[in-house]
Every structure is written in structure tokens, then in C-alpha cells.
Amino acid sequence: MTIALSILLHESRRYLGAIFALSLSGILILGQISLMSGIGGATTAIVDRSRADLIALPAGDRSFAGGVQPDRNLPLLFMHPNVRQVQDLDGKSTLMATVAGSASRAQEQVYVVGIDLESNSLTLPGDFPESARSALLQPRTVVIDRSLLSRMGIQTGDRLTLNGRLVELAGTVSTYPSVLRPVAFVSRDTLRLLDLNAPAHYVGTLLIGLHDPASAERTSAELNEIAQGSFHAYPREQLAHINRRSFMTKQVIGLTLGFSALLGLGIGLGVTSQSMRSALLSEIRPFAALRALGVPMSALRQIVFELALWMLGISCVAMIVCVHLLAWAADSYAVPFDFSWQAAIIVMAMLLGVAMLAGLSALRVLKQAQPMDLLR
């Protein structure tokens, strides 16, 4: 057992403040990133989870926004020999409301998307349950995420209005919660009955199935050359990453995340450095004895930095556990929450910097101390 670890174990109460501060900073930053990433992913989940290999967006769109494009783009796609199937994801935002005489009066702005109900359809999400697909076979029916039930005070079987037209809530799904733009699924025929389909000679986002999905990147590049700017094709995984990055870098979201990160790091640095300084001051005599015995300052510096690293390790474990508990709680209340190890590693790197700066601040206690004065 090293000296740093023995100090931490025997004087754990003195370092709890620093460990708590580091953990809280990490939870604040990583929790905020996971929440924002989950919200951003929920708004584009209908294309991120589609069965398509490529997604073709309208010209000018660099992330999924539900725009339309001329239907003359369809023949351009079939010019490539690797293209097997093309379907358009049609939809539009509108108001969903309860009907007069319902137990509660509520309304919600939703994005209504029309899906083809064949089992091999590209517009049918890969995680769409069979019960929900079967429910949409009936005309004028709609399926929504279960998180909307409590928000609107409705239940399966209730009648609603979409775009002023009467529909029946035929079922729910549990993997499309959204606080910004909830999704309402209808069949393509129902979408036309609701007058929410794209205008004549226009189609929505194009979903493309390939004969060889492994060559998706090469095919997308070749299709973009064929398109000459009339549309832009992306591999599905690449577009999912672009959609989330686009959401996370929006001005308000970026400022919020930046402020939260600075606040969390500032709190962590202040409390951690102060806790380490106080703990070292209380144990200054053993360090002074080591200096009086001729132990070089570099060895004492190594002990302090190792102590900071041990605290960082404990804090990171506590952070991961707490964020997973937050993810479980968010899932229980149908709140989108997307934990990723990539974000966790970035936050750990930030906390490493905080721990090292706190260790440098604590070193001043030893540097400014004289062995003879401390041993009195």
C-alpha cells in the first residue's frame, strides 16, 4: 500500500469533501450532457432508428428537419445499381387535442409521421412493436409515446383531433419520449385523410435500402455526385451523429452546457483545493518529518498528486453510479436520457484537470512550510 493510499484510508473523513465536490461536478456536467443528448436524439429518432441504410435530405438541409424535396429526386437514386428500395418519410407538425366532452381538455404540438405498415418497410422503425403496427391498420388511428398519456390526461381508445380531424388513439409505444416535439405515428393512408401529406410533386426525407449495406459510405458519396446538389445522402449512423451534434451546438443549448460545465468545474476546483489544503495542514507534521529526514520535495509532490488521483478514481466511480441511477429514474418517468461512455471519458478528463490543479494548490502548503517551524 502506497503512502498516499494509506493517508486517504486513515484520514478519509478529511477528504470526503473533496471527493464529494469532484463527484458532484461530474454528475452535474455528465447528467446535463446526457439529458440534452437524449432530448436531441428523441427529436430525430424516427430516422435514426429506421431500417434504411442511407438517408437523403433535401438540398440545403444538413440535419433532419422534416423538409420536403421534389419527387424528381427519386429516379436519380435508382440510377445507382446498389440502391434496392426507396421510400419517403412524409409528415408534418400539427396540433393534437382532446375532443369536446373529454375528461380533460389538453392540446400538444406534435410531429405526425406517416409510415408504411408492410413488415419490410423502410419507414417502419426497427423498434416499432407489432401491436402498434397492427393497431395502425385501421383507418384514422394514431399511436403515440406513453409519456403523452399523463401529459394530456388521455388513454388508449380515446378520441383526439389531429389537424382538426377526428382520430382514435389505438396504441402507444415506449421508446419515443420527447419534451420538444412528440411524434404521432399514423399510416400513410391516414396521413392523406388528415391532409398532412406533402404537396403534389414533392416527397419527404428519402429512406434508401441497399443491396450491400457494407458499402453505404461509398454509395452515399457516389449518389451525392449524381445528385449535383439536388439532395444530400448520408449513411444512417453518420446522420444520427450529425443530428445530435447539430442539436447540441445550437446557441441556447451550447451556452447552457458551457455555463453548466464552467459552474461544475469551478465548484469542483474550489472545494477540492480547499479540502486538500485543509487536510494537508492537519497532517503537516508527518510531511515535515519527511522533509527533515531529507526526503526531496519531488517525492512529497508525488505523494500529493497520487492522493489527488486516488480521490479522482473514487469520484469517477461515484459519478458513473449516480448517472446510471439518474438514467434509470429518467426512464421510469419517460424522460429522454442518453448516457454515453464517450461523454463520460471527456468529463473524466475534465475532472483529471481539476484534481491536478487542486493538487498544485495544495502543494503550496508544503512549499511555504519550513521543517524546523513545523516540528516545534
Side-chain angles (χ1 to χ4, degrees), residues 192 323 375:
R192 295 191 188 99
V323 171
L375 290 173

Side-chain angles (χ1 to χ4, degrees), residues 104-124:
S104 64
R105 291 292 293 165
Q107 59 184 21
E108 189 88 24
Q109 190 75 21
V110 298
Y111 184 76
V112 183
V113 58
I115 58 177
D116 299 283
L117 300 178
E118 295 81 6
S119 58
N120 63 343
S121 168
L122 297 178
T123 60
L124 189 67

Side-chain angles (χ1 to χ4, degrees), residues 143-210:
V143 168
I144 61 176
D145 189 83
R146 63 183 175 88
S147 60
L148 276 176
L149 297 181
S150 57
R151 281 160 60 176
M152 296 187 66
I154 55 179
Q155 58 185 354
T156 302
D158 285 355
R159 296 199 169 192
L160 306 167
T161 60
L162 276 173
N163 198 33
R165 315 290 175 86
L166 195 64
V167 295
E168 180 183 347
L169 179 57
T172 61
V173 291
S174 59
T175 54
Y176 291 84
S178 178
V179 296
L180 294 181
R181 189 175 65 170
V183 177
F185 296 96
V186 298
S187 67
R188 195 175 291 272
D189 291 337
T190 298
L191 190 74
R192 295 191 188 99
L193 292 174
L194 297 175
D195 197 24
L196 292 174
N197 55 311
H201 307 299
Y202 283 88
V203 292
T205 300
L206 295 175
L207 308 183
I208 307 164
L210 302 178

Side-chain angles (χ1 to χ4, degrees), residues 29-367:
I29 300 171
L30 184 56
Q32 187 101 0
I33 292 174
S34 300
L35 179 62
M36 293 300 179
S37 180
I39 293 174
T43 60
T44 60
I46 52 177
V47 293
D48 296 344
R49 303 177 193 171
S50 71
R51 305 183 187 194
D53 302 305
L54 298 179
I55 314 289
L57 299 180
D61 287 0
R62 288 297 175 262
S63 62
F64 175 72
V68 295
Q69 54 190 307
D71 58 4
R72 63 175 178 269
N73 289 343
L74 286 168
L76 295 176
L77 293 171
F78 284 106
M79 291 175 64
H80 197 287
N82 195 26
V83 173
R84 170 181 54 85
Q85 183 182 8
V86 179
Q87 289 181 320
D88 72 302
L89 188 67
D90 203 358
K92 191 179 294 184
S93 292
T94 190
L95 196 67
M96 182 172 70
T98 55
V99 298
S102 300
S104 64
R105 291 292 293 165
Q107 59 184 21
E108 189 88 24
Q109 190 75 21
V110 298
Y111 184 76
V112 183
V113 58
I115 58 177
D116 299 283
L117 300 178
E118 295 81 6
S119 58
N120 63 343
S121 168
L122 297 178
T123 60
L124 189 67
D127 60 350
F128 207 70
E130 176 60 26
S131 58
R133 189 192 71 84
S134 301
L136 290 179
L137 291 172
Q138 297 295 324
R140 295 186 180 275
T141 54
V142 62
V143 168
I144 61 176
D145 189 83
R146 63 183 175 88
S147 60
L148 276 176
L149 297 181
S150 57
R151 281 160 60 176
M152 296 187 66
I154 55 179
Q155 58 185 354
T156 302
D158 285 355
R159 296 199 169 192
L160 306 167
T161 60
L162 276 173
N163 198 33
R165 315 290 175 86
L166 195 64
V167 295
E168 180 183 347
L169 179 57
T172 61
V173 291
S174 59
T175 54
Y176 291 84
S178 178
V179 296
L180 294 181
R181 189 175 65 170
V183 177
F185 296 96
V186 298
S187 67
R188 195 175 291 272
D189 291 337
T190 298
L191 190 74
R192 295 191 188 99
L193 292 174
L194 297 175
D195 197 24
L196 292 174
N197 55 311
H201 307 299
Y202 283 88
V203 292
T205 300
L206 295 175
L207 308 183
I208 307 164
L210 302 178
H211 293 291
D212 180 19
S215 61
E217 290 191 13
R218 177 172 53 83
T219 303
S220 66
E222 293 169 354
L223 284 174
N224 290 331
E225 290 182 7
I226 296 173
Q228 296 182 349
S230 57
F231 61 81
H232 199 95
Y234 297 92
R236 179 167 50 85
E237 294 79 6
Q238 181 184 350
L239 182 61
H241 177 71
I242 291 174
N243 288 333
R244 298 199 180 193
R245 184 177 60 187
S246 174
F247 178 81
M248 297 287 279
T249 54
K250 286 182 179 178
Q251 186 175 7
V252 175
I253 303 299
L255 288 174
T256 302
L257 288 176
F259 177 76
S260 297
L262 287 176
L263 180 64
L265 294 176
I267 293 173
L269 179 58
V271 176
T272 303
S273 59
Q274 188 61 37
S275 298
M276 286 193 69
R277 287 168 62 90
S278 300
L280 288 178
L281 279 172
S282 66
E283 299 174 6
I284 200 66
R285 288 183 180 276
F287 282 99
L290 291 174
R291 287 193 62 187
L293 291 172
V295 176
M297 191 64 193
S298 60
L300 299 183
R301 189 182 299 115
Q302 182 179 349
I303 293 173
V304 173
F305 281 129
E306 186 183 344
L307 188 59
L309 288 175
W310 278 112
M311 290 192 301
L312 172 68
I314 297 172
S315 300
C316 288
V317 171
M319 175 189 72
I320 296 299
V321 171
C322 290
V323 171
H324 272 88
L325 290 175
L326 286 176
W328 174 79
D331 182 67
S332 300
Y333 289 94
V335 175
F337 194 91
D338 182 24
F339 170 83
S340 72
W341 281 105
Q342 182 180 4
I345 291 172
I346 293 173
V347 174
M348 289 180 192
M350 293 180 181
L351 295 183
L352 175 61
V354 170
M356 293 298 100
L357 289 175
L360 283 174
S361 175
L363 275 176
R364 280 191 270 174
V365 174
L366 299 181
K367 288 180 178 179

